[in-house]
Amino acid sequence: MLESHQSLFARPKPQASGFVLPLALTASAVLLLGSASIHTLSLKGRLRLQAAMERDQSADLLRSAAQAFTTMATGVQACLLQWPSATWGLRQHSCSGAEPAALMQGRVADQPWQLLSWQPASGSGDLRLALVDGRRASFRLELAADGAQILGIRAVQLIGRDGSEPLS
């Protein structure tokens, strides 16, 4: 009887505690964090790609505006290329028939552009253009020896948007 009495009050033998549930929860947490990281990386990559595409489209549009400027800066208008755009109004009498206003703005792909500045240098010139939405770029243009003909446009250098820079 003592044995049966002891067995009633005896502590049960400890059983192995369950390990499947904590293991499953840990594995789920690791998978969740891993998939969240992959999702974040994918979103970052997509945003970078979208920003690069927008930058390329802006550069292309501004390059087209520079090409339009070079097309308009031929004939009698080419005479103005010898001086900075800030003085073109004073140089009209030096360039008979030249119309500075014609080089100050234009349209490319339904997008208006404006001349920010033209600064000639020996054999080249610095052209700065802005689109109506504020996107701006600078170009180095290669000039003929007489300075009155544009021979080529070098790569676009995008400039940050700034509403404080005065237009020529």
Coordinates of all heavy atoms in Angstrom, one line a residue, residues 97-153:
G97 N 20.2 91.9 -89.3 CA 19.2 90.9 -89.5 C 19.0 89.9 -88.4 O 18.1 89.1 -88.4
A98 N 19.9 89.9 -87.5 CA 19.9 88.9 -86.4 C 18.8 89.3 -85.4 O 18.6 90.4 -85.1 CB 21.2 88.8 -85.7
E99 N 18.0 88.3 -84.9 CA 17.0 88.5 -84.0 C 17.2 87.7 -82.7 O 17.0 86.5 -82.7 CB 15.6 88.1 -84.6 CG 14.4 88.5 -83.8 CD 14.3 90.0 -83.6 OE1 14.4 90.7 -84.5 OE2 14.0 90.3 -82.4
P100 N 17.8 88.4 -81.7 CA 18.2 87.6 -80.5 C 17.0 86.9 -79.8 O 17.2 85.8 -79.3 CB 18.7 88.7 -79.5 CG 19.0 89.8 -80.4 CD 18.2 89.8 -81.6
A101 N 15.8 87.4 -79.9 CA 14.6 86.8 -79.3 C 14.4 85.4 -79.9 O 13.9 84.5 -79.2 CB 13.4 87.6 -79.5
A102 N 14.8 85.2 -81.1 CA 14.6 83.9 -81.8 C 15.4 82.8 -81.2 O 15.1 81.6 -81.2 CB 14.9 84.0 -83.3
L103 N 16.5 83.2 -80.6 CA 17.4 82.2 -79.9 C 17.1 82.0 -78.4 O 17.8 81.2 -77.8 CB 18.9 82.6 -80.1 CG 19.4 82.5 -81.5 CD1 20.9 83.0 -81.5 CD2 19.3 81.2 -82.1
M104 N 16.2 82.8 -77.9 CA 16.0 82.8 -76.5 C 15.0 81.7 -76.0 O 15.0 81.3 -74.8 CB 15.4 84.1 -76.0 CG 16.4 85.3 -76.3 SD 17.9 85.1 -75.5 CE 17.8 86.5 -74.4
Q105 N 14.2 81.2 -76.9 CA 13.3 80.1 -76.5 C 12.8 79.3 -77.7 O 13.0 79.8 -78.9 CB 12.1 80.8 -75.8 CG 11.3 81.8 -76.7 CD 10.2 82.5 -75.8 OE1 10.1 82.3 -74.6 NE2 9.5 83.3 -76.5
G106 N 12.2 78.2 -77.4 CA 11.7 77.4 -78.5 C 10.9 76.2 -77.9 O 10.6 76.2 -76.7
R107 N 10.5 75.3 -78.8 CA 9.7 74.1 -78.4 C 10.4 72.9 -78.9 O 10.8 72.8 -80.1 CB 8.3 74.2 -78.9 CG 7.4 75.1 -78.1 CD 5.9 75.0 -78.6 NE 5.1 74.1 -77.9 CZ 4.6 74.4 -76.7 NH1 5.0 75.5 -76.1 NH2 3.8 73.6 -76.1
V108 N 10.3 71.9 -78.1 CA 10.8 70.5 -78.5 C 9.8 69.5 -77.9 O 9.6 69.5 -76.7 CB 12.2 70.2 -78.0 CG1 12.6 68.8 -78.2 CG2 13.2 71.1 -78.7
A109 N 9.2 68.7 -78.8 CA 8.3 67.7 -78.4 C 7.2 68.3 -77.4 O 7.0 67.7 -76.4 CB 9.0 66.5 -77.7
D110 N 6.6 69.3 -77.9 CA 5.6 70.0 -77.1 C 6.1 70.5 -75.7 O 5.3 70.7 -74.8 CB 4.3 69.1 -76.9 CG 3.7 68.9 -78.2 OD1 3.8 69.7 -79.1 OD2 3.0 67.8 -78.4
Q111 N 7.3 70.6 -75.5 CA 7.9 71.1 -74.3 C 8.7 72.4 -74.5 O 9.7 72.4 -75.3 CB 8.9 70.0 -73.8 CG 9.4 70.2 -72.4 CD 8.4 70.0 -71.3 OE1 8.1 70.9 -70.6 NE2 8.0 68.8 -71.1
P112 N 8.2 73.5 -74.0 CA 8.9 74.8 -74.2 C 10.3 74.8 -73.4 O 10.4 74.2 -72.4 CB 8.0 75.8 -73.6 CG 6.7 75.2 -73.3 CD 7.0 73.7 -73.2
W113 N 11.2 75.4 -74.1 CA 12.5 75.6 -73.4 C 12.9 77.1 -73.5 O 12.4 77.8 -74.4 CB 13.6 74.7 -74.0 CG 13.9 74.9 -75.5 CD1 13.3 74.3 -76.5 CD2 14.7 75.9 -76.1 NE1 13.7 74.7 -77.7 CE2 14.6 75.8 -77.5 CE3 15.6 76.9 -75.6 CZ2 15.3 76.6 -78.4 CZ3 16.3 77.7 -76.5 CH2 16.2 77.5 -77.9
Q114 N 13.8 77.5 -72.6 CA 14.3 78.8 -72.6 C 15.9 78.8 -72.5 O 16.4 77.9 -71.8 CB 13.7 79.7 -71.5 CG 12.3 80.0 -71.6 CD 11.8 80.9 -70.5 OE1 12.0 80.6 -69.4 NE2 11.1 81.9 -70.9
L115 N 16.5 79.8 -73.0 CA 17.9 80.0 -72.9 C 18.2 80.6 -71.6 O 17.6 81.7 -71.2 CB 18.4 80.9 -74.0 CG 19.9 81.3 -74.0 CD1 20.8 80.1 -74.3 CD2 20.2 82.4 -74.9
L116 N 19.0 80.0 -70.8 CA 19.5 80.6 -69.5 C 20.7 81.5 -69.8 O 20.7 82.6 -69.3 CB 19.9 79.5 -68.5 CG 18.7 78.6 -68.0 CD1 19.3 77.5 -67.1 CD2 17.7 79.5 -67.2
S117 N 21.6 80.9 -70.5 CA 22.8 81.7 -70.9 C 23.6 81.1 -72.0 O 23.6 79.9 -72.2 CB 23.7 81.9 -69.7 OG 24.3 80.7 -69.3
W118 N 24.3 81.9 -72.7 CA 25.3 81.5 -73.7 C 26.6 82.3 -73.4 O 26.6 83.5 -73.3 CB 24.8 81.8 -75.1 CG 25.9 81.8 -76.1 CD1 26.5 82.8 -76.8 CD2 26.6 80.6 -76.6 NE1 27.5 82.3 -77.6 CE2 27.6 81.0 -77.5 CE3 26.4 79.2 -76.4 CZ2 28.4 80.1 -78.2 CZ3 27.2 78.3 -77.0 CH2 28.2 78.7 -77.9
Q119 N 27.7 81.6 -73.2 CA 28.9 82.2 -72.9 C 30.0 81.6 -73.9 O 30.4 80.5 -73.7 CB 29.3 81.9 -71.5 CG 30.5 82.7 -71.0 CD 30.3 84.2 -71.0 OE1 29.3 84.6 -70.5 NE2 31.2 84.9 -71.5
P120 N 30.4 82.4 -74.9 CA 31.4 81.9 -75.8 C 32.8 81.9 -75.2 O 33.1 82.7 -74.3 CB 31.3 82.9 -77.0 CG 30.8 84.2 -76.4 CD 30.0 83.8 -75.2
A121 N 33.6 81.0 -75.7 CA 35.0 80.9 -75.3 C 35.8 80.6 -76.6 O 35.2 80.5 -77.6 CB 35.2 79.8 -74.2
S122 N 37.1 80.5 -76.5 CA 37.9 80.2 -77.6 C 37.6 78.8 -78.2 O 37.9 77.8 -77.5 CB 39.4 80.3 -77.2 OG 40.2 80.0 -78.3
G123 N 37.0 78.7 -79.3 CA 36.7 77.4 -80.0 C 35.5 76.7 -79.4 O 35.2 75.6 -79.8
S124 N 34.9 77.2 -78.4 CA 33.7 76.6 -77.8 C 32.8 77.6 -77.1 O 33.1 78.8 -77.1 CB 34.2 75.5 -76.8 OG 34.8 76.2 -75.7
G125 N 31.8 77.1 -76.5 CA 30.9 78.0 -75.8 C 30.1 77.1 -74.8 O 29.9 75.9 -75.0
D126 N 29.6 77.8 -73.8 CA 28.8 77.2 -72.7 C 27.4 77.6 -72.9 O 27.0 78.7 -72.8 CB 29.3 77.6 -71.3 CG 28.6 76.9 -70.2 OD1 28.4 75.7 -70.3 OD2 28.1 77.6 -69.3
L127 N 26.5 76.6 -73.2 CA 25.1 76.8 -73.4 C 24.3 76.2 -72.2 O 24.6 75.1 -71.8 CB 24.6 76.1 -74.7 CG 23.2 76.1 -75.0 CD1 22.7 77.5 -75.3 CD2 22.9 75.2 -76.1
R128 N 23.5 77.1 -71.6 CA 22.6 76.6 -70.5 C 21.2 76.8 -70.9 O 20.8 77.9 -71.3 CB 22.9 77.4 -69.2 CG 24.2 77.0 -68.6 CD 24.5 77.8 -67.4 NE 25.8 77.4 -66.9 CZ 25.9 76.8 -65.7 NH1 24.9 76.5 -65.0 NH2 27.1 76.4 -65.3
L129 N 20.4 75.7 -70.8 CA 19.0 75.7 -71.2 C 18.1 75.2 -70.1 O 18.6 74.5 -69.2 CB 18.8 74.8 -72.4 CG 19.5 75.2 -73.7 CD1 19.3 74.1 -74.7 CD2 19.0 76.5 -74.2
A130 N 16.9 75.6 -70.1 CA 15.9 75.2 -69.1 C 14.6 74.8 -69.7 O 14.2 75.5 -70.7 CB 15.7 76.2 -68.0
L131 N 14.0 73.8 -69.3 CA 12.6 73.4 -69.7 C 11.7 74.2 -68.8 O 12.0 74.7 -67.7 CB 12.4 71.9 -69.6 CG 13.3 71.1 -70.5 CD1 13.0 69.6 -70.2 CD2 13.1 71.4 -72.0
V132 N 10.4 74.3 -69.3 CA 9.4 75.1 -68.5 C 9.2 74.5 -67.1 O 8.9 75.3 -66.2 CB 8.1 75.3 -69.3 CG1 7.3 74.0 -69.4 CG2 7.3 76.4 -68.8
D133 N 9.4 73.2 -66.9 CA 9.1 72.6 -65.6 C 10.3 72.8 -64.7 O 10.3 72.3 -63.6 CB 8.7 71.2 -65.8 CG 9.8 70.3 -66.4 OD1 10.9 70.8 -66.7 OD2 9.6 69.1 -66.6
G134 N 11.4 73.4 -65.1 CA 12.5 73.7 -64.2 C 13.7 72.8 -64.5 O 14.8 73.1 -63.9
R135 N 13.6 71.8 -65.3 CA 14.8 70.9 -65.5 C 15.8 71.8 -66.4 O 15.4 72.4 -67.3 CB 14.4 69.7 -66.3 CG 13.5 68.7 -65.5 CD 13.1 67.5 -66.2 NE 12.0 67.9 -67.1 CZ 11.5 67.1 -68.0 NH1 11.8 65.8 -68.0 NH2 10.5 67.5 -68.8
R136 N 17.1 71.7 -66.0 CA 18.1 72.5 -66.6 C 19.3 71.6 -67.0 O 19.5 70.6 -66.4 CB 18.5 73.6 -65.7 CG 17.4 74.5 -65.2 CD 17.8 75.5 -64.2 NE 18.6 75.0 -63.2 CZ 19.5 75.7 -62.6 NH1 19.7 77.0 -62.8 NH2 20.3 75.2 -61.6
A137 N 20.0 72.1 -68.0 CA 21.2 71.4 -68.4 C 22.2 72.4 -69.0 O 21.9 73.5 -69.4 CB 20.9 70.4 -69.4
S138 N 23.5 72.0 -68.9 CA 24.6 72.8 -69.5 C 25.3 71.9 -70.6 O 25.4 70.7 -70.4 CB 25.6 73.1 -68.4 OG 26.7 73.8 -68.9
F139 N 25.7 72.6 -71.6 CA 26.3 71.9 -72.7 C 27.6 72.7 -73.1 O 27.6 73.9 -73.0 CB 25.4 71.9 -74.0 CG 24.1 71.2 -73.8 CD1 23.0 72.0 -73.3 CD2 23.9 69.9 -74.0 CE1 21.8 71.4 -73.1 CE2 22.7 69.3 -73.8 CZ 21.6 70.1 -73.3
R140 N 28.6 72.0 -73.6 CA 29.7 72.6 -74.1 C 29.6 72.4 -75.7 O 29.5 71.3 -76.1 CB 31.0 72.0 -73.6 CG 32.3 72.5 -74.2 CD 32.6 73.9 -73.9 NE 32.9 74.1 -72.5 CZ 33.2 75.3 -72.0 NH1 33.1 76.4 -72.7 NH2 33.5 75.4 -70.7
L141 N 29.5 73.5 -76.4 CA 29.3 73.5 -77.8 C 30.7 73.8 -78.5 O 31.4 74.7 -78.1 CB 28.3 74.5 -78.3 CG 26.9 74.4 -77.7 CD1 25.9 75.4 -78.4 CD2 26.4 73.0 -77.9
E142 N 31.0 73.0 -79.5 CA 32.2 73.2 -80.3 C 31.9 74.2 -81.4 O 31.0 74.0 -82.1 CB 32.6 71.9 -80.8 CG 34.0 71.9 -81.4 CD 34.4 70.5 -81.9 OE1 33.8 69.5 -81.4 OE2 35.2 70.4 -82.8
L143 N 32.7 75.2 -81.5 CA 32.5 76.3 -82.5 C 33.6 76.2 -83.6 O 34.7 75.8 -83.3 CB 32.5 77.7 -81.8 CG 31.5 78.0 -80.7 CD1 31.7 79.3 -80.1 CD2 30.1 77.9 -81.3
A144 N 33.2 76.8 -84.7 CA 34.2 76.9 -85.8 C 35.2 78.0 -85.4 O 35.0 78.7 -84.5 CB 33.4 77.3 -87.1
A145 N 36.3 78.1 -86.2 CA 37.4 79.0 -85.9 C 36.9 80.5 -85.8 O 37.3 81.2 -85.0 CB 38.5 78.9 -86.9
D146 N 35.9 80.8 -86.7 CA 35.4 82.2 -86.7 C 34.4 82.4 -85.6 O 33.9 83.5 -85.4 CB 34.8 82.5 -88.0 CG 33.6 81.7 -88.4 OD1 33.2 80.8 -87.6 OD2 33.0 81.9 -89.5
G147 N 34.0 81.4 -84.9 CA 33.1 81.5 -83.7 C 31.6 81.7 -84.1 O 30.8 82.0 -83.3
A148 N 31.3 81.6 -85.4 CA 30.0 81.9 -85.9 C 29.3 80.7 -86.4 O 28.3 80.8 -87.2 CB 30.0 83.0 -86.9
Q149 N 29.7 79.5 -86.0 CA 29.1 78.3 -86.5 C 29.3 77.2 -85.4 O 30.4 77.0 -85.0 CB 29.7 77.8 -87.8 CG 29.0 76.6 -88.3 CD 29.6 76.1 -89.6 OE1 30.6 76.6 -90.1 NE2 29.0 75.0 -90.2
I150 N 28.2 76.5 -85.1 CA 28.3 75.4 -84.1 C 28.7 74.1 -84.8 O 27.9 73.8 -85.8 CB 27.0 75.3 -83.3 CG1 26.8 76.6 -82.5 CG2 27.1 74.1 -82.4 CD1 25.4 76.7 -81.9
L151 N 29.7 73.5 -84.4 CA 30.2 72.3 -85.1 C 29.6 71.0 -84.3 O 29.5 70.0 -85.0 CB 31.7 72.2 -85.1 CG 32.4 73.3 -85.9 CD1 33.9 73.2 -85.8 CD2 31.9 73.3 -87.4
G152 N 29.4 71.1 -83.1 CA 29.0 69.9 -82.3 C 28.5 70.2 -80.9 O 28.9 71.3 -80.4
I153 N 27.8 69.3 -80.3 CA 27.3 69.4 -79.0 C 28.0 68.3 -78.2 O 27.9 67.1 -78.6 CB 25.8 69.2 -78.9 CG1 25.1 70.3 -79.8 CG2 25.3 69.3 -77.5 CD1 23.6 70.0 -79.9

